[in-house]
Amino acid sequence: MNDESNRAGPAGRPTELTPMPVPPPDAKARSGGGSGNSMPVRGRGRTGNLPVDLTGFVGRRHEVGETKKMLSASRLVTLTGIGGVGKTRLALRVATDSQRAFTDGVWLIELSELSDPELVTGVVSDVLGLRNHTVDAPLVLLTDHLADKDVLLVLDNCEHLVESVAALAATVLRTCPGVRILATSREPLRVRGEAVTRVPPMQTPNPDHAPSLRGVPGYESVALFLQRAVAAVPTFELTEDNQVAVAQICARLDGLPLPIELAAARLRVMSVHQILDRLTDRYRLLTGGSRAAPDRQKTLRWSIDWSYELCTPQEQRLWARLTVFACSFELDAAEAICGEGDRGDDLLDVVSALVDKSILIREEAGDVVRYRMLDILREYAQEKLQPGEYPNLRRRFRDWYQELITRAAADIISPRQLHWLDLLDREQPNLRAALHFVLSEPDEADAGLRMAVGLFPFWISRGYLREGRLWLDRVLAAHVGESGADPAKALYLVSLFAGVQGDVTEGVGLLARADSLEDRPGATWMRALRGFVRGFLALYNRDSVSAVMYFDEAIGAAQETEGADFLHVVSLLGKGLSYVSLGDASKARVCHAEMLALAGTLGDFVYCGRSAMMGAWAWWCDGDRTRARAVIEEGIRLSTRADDSFGIGCSLEALAWIETDHDPGCAAVLLGAAAAIWRDVGGTMANYLTGLSYHSDCEQQARRVLGDRQFDEKYQHGSAFSVDDAVEYAFDIQPVPAKKSPEVGTLSRRERQVAELVAEGLTNRAIAAKLVISQRTAQGHVERILSKLGYTSRTQIATWLVEQRHQQNPGPEMRTHHS
C-alpha cells in the first residue's frame, strides 16, 4: 500500500481503511542531538547509533590500537585526560572500528547534557529503545534487556556523574556477560576490573629543530592543523615559508586538539605568522605568571582566552549568554533568551561569526539548524557573565521553555504532532534544566506544576513514564499546600502514571487525593481529565464495564471543552480497548471509526496507530480478514511514522490473532516479535493485551498445529527481530498456497528477490549485505520461502526457480514441441 494514498468514505469522512493525512514538511520525523552526534533513534534491535565522522579522524594510530587491545582484555575501559585532548574522538574511532565484533550493536550514550544523576539509567535505556512502563527499577529493565546481548556501550563525558555511572557500569558488567563499556571521563570510574588509559596530547615537532617540508605533516598535531586549516581556507597549503610557523604553533599548543582547531580557525582573518606571534606573546605572559596550574591546562586556558579576545564585544556577550542552554538550541530560542532587542538578522550574524570561529558547532536536525558548544567552552564562558546576569538569563530561559511546553501541549494532536514530539525530544536536556530551575527557586512551584502538567502528553506519547512520574512527584513535593486546580491536575496525572506502571493501588489513592483538591467540580476540562484517568485505572484493574462509563464521561466533557482534543482522542482509545476486553466487536469498531474521523480533522498519528488493533480485531471477529489486515497495515504505517514501538507492538499482537487460523507458524513469529516489544516497554497495558483470551487462544491453537518444538522455534525467531525486522515481516506475509505445486505468485516481491539470490548460491549474510537488511531478516525470508514452497533445502529453491523460468520463458526446443 502507498501511505500517501487517501481513500475516503461517504462525505469525505475517513473509513477504517483511510490513511491519516500527511503532515506538512515541518512535521516529518527529525533527528539531531546536542553533542555533535545524530540523536539516537528510538527502536529496539538496531545495530547502533554511532555518528558519521564529518571532519575526518587524524592520527592516534597507537592510541587506537592500544585501546582496542585493552577492550579485548577488559570489559570496561576508561579513557581519561584533560578537556580538549580528544577523548571523545578517540572513543568514537575505536567504537566504529569495533562494530563488527558486537552482533547487537555499538551504542553511544552522550552524558554531557545530563545533570541529574537519577536519570542516568533512563538515558541509557532511552538510547537503546527501552521504555520503562512499570514500577520496576530502571536498572532492572536495562539489565534484563542486556542480559543476553553482545553490545558495546560508549559512555561519553562521565566526570560530572561519575558515581551514578560507576554504579550502573558495575551492575551491568556483573549481570550482563556480553556487554563491554568504553567510557570517557576526566577521572576514572574506579570500578572493579576497569582498565584506565590516559589520552596524551598529539605528537608535535621540536620547535627549535623543525623537520623538512616532507616530514612536518607526519606529526599528528600538524596533520590536524592542516586539515582544519584547509577547511577554514580551502587555498591554504604547507610551504617552505610557513612550515616552521605551523610546527611552532602546534608545539606552543602542546599538541592539544581543541586549541589547535581554534588556532586553525583563525586563518580566516589572520596569517600563520600572525597566529604564531599572538601565541608567542601569550606564552611569555603565561611563563611570567602563576605556575600553580599544570602546563597543559594553562595552555588550554590561554588558547581559549585568546579566542575570546579575538571576538568582538557583541560576540563575547552572546558566547557567555548561550551557556544558559543545557544542550543544543535553535536560533529562535537564542534570540528570545540571549538577545538584547537585536533584530533576528543581527543575532544570526553574531551566531554565524561564532560558528566561523569554532566556538559554536552548527548541526542539521531534519529541516532545522541547531547550534551547540563544547563543554569546555561553555565552562569557560560562564565565568565571563556579568554579576547578576545569569539569574536573569535563567528566568528568561524558564519563560521560553514554559511557553514552548504550553504551545506543544495545545498542538500535540494536530498535523504538527510529529514536529512537536521530535522537537521536545531534542530539547529534553533544556526542559530538564528549566524544571530544575523552578524547583530550586522560591515561589516557582506553580510554574513547575504547569510545566509538568503541560509535558504530560509528550511523556505519555513517547513512553517516558518513569521520568514523567519523577518530575510530577518533585513539583508536587515542592508545592506548599494542596489546593487549586494545578495540584489537582498533577495528582490526577501522577495517579495515571502509577496505574500504567502497574501500581494500581497507589494510583487509586492519588486519585482520591486529587478528587479532594478539586475546587471546581463543574469545570469540563477537569471532568474530562478525571474521567480519562478513572477509565484507564478501571481498565488496568480489569473492570472494563466501569471503564466504558468513565471514558464516556471524559468524551462528553472533552466535546464541550476547547483545547481538550488530547483527552478526547485518548479516551476514545481507552473506550475501544474496553470493548475489546468485553468482546463487543461492533462497539469497538464504532470507537475506531470515531477515532479516525476525529484524526482526519486533527491530524493525529500516535493514537490512531495504537487504535488499529481494536479496529482490526473487530473486523476479524466479523470474519473479514482482508479488511482486518488492511487496518493493521495502516496502523503499522502510522506507528512507524510516529516512531511508536508500542503502537507497532499492538498491531503485531492483533495480527498474530488474525493469522492463527490461516498460518499458525506466522502467528507464532508475530507473537514472539510482539513479546520482544512488550519486554522493552513493559507496563500494565502490555500485560492487559497479553492477558486477553485472544492471546492465549492464539498461542494454544498455534501450538496444537505446530507442536511445542516448532512453535517455540518460530516464537524465538520472532523475538530476535528488531522493530524494523518485525514491520517488514508483517508487510511481507502472503497467503500460504493451497496447491502443492507452488507458483511464482506464491512469493512476495522481496521473497522472490531472496530466492533469486539463494539460487545464485549466496549465504544469508551475503543476501543481507546485498539487500541492505539484517542477517536475521534474510534468514527469516529464507525460512518463509521454504515454508511456502514446502521445501527443506536451499537447493530445492534453486531447482524450483529454474523450472519457473522455463515455464515463463520456454526455450526454442520447448516452443517447437508445443507448436
Side-chain angles (χ1 to χ4, degrees), residues 39-57:
M39 178 173 287
V41 180
R42 291 169 302 281
R44 58 176 294 279
R46 295 172 60 244
T47 57
N49 66 335
L50 295 183
V52 176
D53 192 345
L54 299 179
T55 57
F57 186 77

Side-chain angles (χ1 to χ4, degrees), residues 63 109 265 316 336 341 380 384 473 546 554 563 598 631 717 719 755 805:
E63 288 82 359
I109 295 93
Q316 290 174 348
Y380 172 90
K384 302 297 183 180
D473 283 338
S546 297
L598 185 61
V631 172
H717 179 64
S719 68
R805 289 170 180 163

Side-chain angles (χ1 to χ4, degrees), residues 485 518-530 557 560-561:
E518 173 53 288
D519 56 3
R520 295 183 302 154
T524 54
W525 195 94
M526 195 66 84
R527 279 175 30 224
L529 174 63
R530 185 169 57 245
E560 301 173 17
T561 308

